Amino acid sequence: MKKYYSRPLIYLFAVILTSLSFLSSKPESLLPWINENFQLAAAKTKAMAQASGDSSRIPVTMKTAGQAHLANLYDWRSGFFAGNMWLLHEYTGDAQWQQEARKWTAALEPLKDFKDHHDLGFMMYCSYGAGYRLTNDARYRDILVQGARSLCTRFDQKTGTIKSWNNFKSWTTGTVYKFPVIIDNMMNLELLFFASKVTGDPYFKKVAITHANTTLENHFRDDFSAYHVVCYDEQTGKVVAKESAQGYAHESAWSRGQAWALYGYTMTYRETGDKKYLKQARGLASYLMKHPNLPADKVPYWDYHAGNPAYTPCGTNAAKYKSGVQPRDASAAAIIASALLELCDYVPKKEGAEMIAFAEASLKALSSPAYRTPMGANANFLLAHSVGSIPHGGEIDAPLIYADYYFLEALLRLKKRVS
Ligand code: GLY
């Protein structure tokens, strides 16, 4: 990936900018800054759509310098590009963005019958879900409900969970597990809560709550951090392994996994009002905001324990990151910021104010030249410096479409607070 500035200097710049903006962040002073981010996002999104040329070729990351890597609709990231367009429509009120968002959303319709992995919530709720929220289009509602039915086919009574992947091979033992559940799966539950609300059928919500409860029991450590992958025995329903697929080590805190957990339990509390989910989200928020290995600009390394000698790396690729400068994960920072900007409303005022200040500071860092790239750069993704998966050796220090999505969502949440 092209480097725009030398690393230590850009991070220092981000920290200075973050601290200054922090001192002066009167609510109304945030609006021009939020606006400027959306203006750039609009120009870049338009250019990306033109470069792709076809709504079946969906930009998700950059593998060749300057060129977006285009995925098909079955890729777990397929809903975010349409999602970005819906967020642009929401922010600008511009009918052209709605038209464009509708076109990219329509291309995803076959997903309503997709049953091959768990990511339907991401794929459909960020695209069709945003579309329904903003237009009330009954056809979108029906497609979402059908998608929720497909997702529920992966629910298993014995384990009390929705199966994430069809199998998972351990980096350390080579064992192939047949019922892996990843913490990311919490994000897919929003589609199920939605389906119960619009149909009146409690089944979807029951599945979501059962999954959330089982995950609460098995996926967390005493310090509130989450394991990435928990594997179940299909016959007994019991946990047989707690490992990591994308983190530094099985016992480490993979940054994006923590972000999904924070966002997922915040959303699950919103949908249920059950205080045990709030407790988990608050505990994890505190863990992430006060982590001793969090850089000053509040954009985490790809794993909170990356390179920590007390942890045994997951496989050979992760082992390459035993020492040296660790890549940041802008996507984790964006997801955490967005989650905190919701969670802050469910906690006492002082705690909420700390969450808002943290989110604002990390968004300021992300919008600085340390992470945000100019028009034409970075294949027109907004943010650079995310990590897909170091153990898999892919998308390391790269742009990711979902980093842009949650960055825009967080800015919208912030705007709603200050205007
Ligand atoms: N759900 C996959 C990821 O966060 O990379």
Side-chain angles (χ1 to χ4, degrees):
M1 153 174 292
K2 190 174 167 196
K3 298 277 186 308
Y4 302 99
Y5 303 92
S6 96
R7 265 315 176 75
L9 264 180
I10 52 176
Y11 289 132
L12 183 69
F13 182 61
V15 171
I16 292 170
L17 212 72
T18 301
S19 322
L20 289 176
S21 63
F22 212 24
L23 291 175
S24 66
S25 64
K26 290 216 169 57
E28 60 280 11
S29 71
L30 294 171
L31 293 175
W33 163 68
I34 293 171
N35 195 45
E36 190 258 329
N37 275 295
F38 270 90
Q39 301 251 325
L40 182 61
K44 287 194 140 198
T45 304
K46 213 171 269 178
M48 281 173 104
Q50 266 162 14
S52 156
D54 177 343
S55 55
S56 67
R57 294 152 37 90
I58 305 160
V60 293
T61 185
M62 183 174 82
K63 285 190 180 158
T64 310
Q67 266 186 356
H69 174 72
L70 304 170
N72 72 25
L73 76 165
Y74 298 109
D75 185 289
W76 80 272
R77 301 159 291 187
S78 64
F80 293 113
F81 191 56
N84 286 349
M85 291 175 173
W86 284 115
L87 295 179
L88 284 163
H89 171 56
E90 183 175 4
Y91 181 82
T92 60
D94 185 338
Q96 278 198 340
W97 276 120
Q98 181 179 155
Q99 205 183 334
E100 194 70 4
R102 280 185 178 276
K103 185 176 93 187
W104 285 80
T105 299
L108 303 172
E109 184 169 344
L111 291 178
K112 67 184 185 218
D113 298 315
F114 182 70
K115 303 181 180 83
D116 211 35
H117 59 68
H118 69 145
D119 283 316
L120 272 185
F122 283 115
M123 296 151 98
M124 300 194 74
Y125 205 70
C126 300
S127 52
Y128 279 98
Y132 182 70
R133 183 171 61 80
L134 296 169
T135 66
N136 261 320
D137 185 329
R139 191 165 157 67
Y140 285 0
R141 180 198 58 212
D142 296 345
I143 289 169
L144 285 160
V145 171
Q146 181 61 24
R149 277 193 201 102
S150 297
L151 180 55
C152 286
T153 63
R154 298 185 67 82
F155 178 71
D156 175 72
Q157 287 286 359
K158 209 166 256 172
T159 64
T161 63
I162 297 163
K163 187 188 214 176
S164 292
W165 303 324
N166 294 339
N167 52 60
F168 162 65
K169 186 173 174 186
S170 166
W171 290 116
T172 43
T173 64
T175 308
V176 178
Y177 295 102
K178 295 287 189 202
F179 202 110
V181 177
I182 64 173
I183 190 62
D184 323 26
N185 206 340
M186 284 301 301
M187 299 294 287
N188 295 309
L189 306 184
E190 197 164 5
L191 174 64
L192 303 184
F193 288 121
F194 167 84
S196 270
K197 274 187 281 191
V198 295
T199 59
D201 180 347
Y203 175 69
F204 304 103
K205 186 172 179 179
K206 204 169 147 211
V207 168
I209 288 176
T210 308
H211 182 94
N213 288 344
T214 311
T215 300
L216 194 58
E217 207 170 298
N218 297 329
H219 250 91
F220 291 98
R221 307 184 182 96
D222 289 346
D223 62 7
F224 293 97
S225 72
Y227 284 96
H228 182 205
V229 191
V230 171
C231 303
Y232 293 84
D233 180 316
E234 279 176 294
Q235 307 309 320
T236 64
K238 297 254 183 310
V239 172
V240 287
K242 297 187 180 191
E243 300 206 353
S244 191
Q246 284 162 259
Y248 181 68
H250 295 330
E251 289 299 329
S252 72
W254 173 51
S255 300
R256 201 165 50 257
Q258 311 314 307
W260 296 139
L262 179 69
Y263 194 116
Y265 277 97
T266 301
M267 175 275 296
T268 305
Y269 173 66
R270 179 219 307 150
E271 296 298 332
T272 61
D274 189 330
K275 288 268 181 347
K276 65 175 180 278
Y277 306 134
L278 178 62
K279 184 175 173 225
Q280 176 56 43
R282 281 173 85 179
L284 182 51
S286 169
Y287 174 91
L288 299 176
M289 287 163 62
K290 295 181 188 144
H291 201 283
N293 199 31
L294 180 69
D297 67 1
K298 306 192 184 328
V299 178
Y301 298 111
W302 65 284
D303 190 298
Y304 287 85
H305 302 105
N308 185 324
Y311 293 77
T312 309
C314 257
T316 45
N317 281 320
K320 290 183 196 150
Y321 287 81
K322 262 180 153 171
S323 62
V325 178
Q326 300 291 342
R328 303 295 189 88
D329 186 2
S331 76
I335 299 157
I336 291 168
S338 191
L340 289 175
L341 288 170
E342 175 170 8
L343 184 57
C344 62
D345 285 332
Y346 308 146
V347 297
K349 216 167 172 180
K350 185 170 171 286
E351 192 180 338
E354 280 164 16
M355 289 175 184
I356 296 167
F358 184 98
E360 200 186 299
S362 64
L363 292 170
K364 286 273 178 175
L366 290 177
S367 69
S368 78
Y371 298 92
R372 203 188 72 179
T373 59
M375 187 63 205
N378 202 31
N380 275 320
F381 291 93
L382 208 49
L383 302 181
H385 308 310
S386 289
V387 169
S389 177
I390 283 182
H392 293 89
E395 298 153 10
I396 301 170
D397 195 23
L400 295 170
I401 191 71
Y402 46 96
D404 291 3
Y405 175 87
Y406 288 101
F407 177 64
L408 294 179
E409 184 188 75
L411 288 174
L412 261 172
R413 288 180 171 187
L414 196 56
K415 177 176 177 266
K416 284 174 192 164
R417 307 194 71 77
V418 299
S419 51

